[in-house]
Amino acid sequence: RFMTLAKDVVTYQEKWLKENGSTGHYFGNKTTYIDLALLGTLCAIRCTLKGMPEMLEPFNKKNAPLMNNIMTTMEKDSKLVKYMSTCQC
């Protein structure tokens, strides 16, 4: 059940990100709350499922490239770097 839900969530999110032009953000070219929420959610998923690679498969760079692009964009944002250490579990 989890895998079906995870794949559905990824498909839905990737669709929205593609419609925005794959900019590394959900809306426009600036970081918004939803970008931060995705970062936090993906970090929580990765930490919770650490050691279960098959469960993380829907969220990897191959299956969720645009979601992962947001993480990469946020990690490079000079305004955020000092406030976060991404996915340290």
Side-chain angles (χ1 to χ4, degrees), residues 12 17 22 29 32 50 52 85 89:
Y12 183 78
L17 292 165
S22 306
N29 292 313
T32 62
K50 189 176 182 180
M52 294 183 268
S85 54
C89 8

Side-chain angles (χ1 to χ4, degrees), residues 12-39 42 64-81 84:
Y12 183 78
Q13 298 303 317
E14 289 285 308
K15 174 185 170 269
W16 278 105
L17 292 165
K18 186 177 181 180
E19 287 180 11
N20 185 46
S22 306
T23 64
H25 298 285
Y26 269 93
F27 303 105
N29 292 313
K30 294 183 181 178
T31 300
T32 62
Y33 175 78
I34 193 70
D35 298 323
L36 294 169
L38 176 69
L39 177 71
L42 286 178
L66 302 178
M67 291 172 70
N68 282 280
N69 187 36
I70 286 182
M71 289 190 70
T72 301
T73 299
M74 306 258 308
E75 289 169 347
K76 293 177 181 176
D77 186 330
S78 62
K79 294 177 184 174
L80 297 176
V81 168
M84 59 186 241

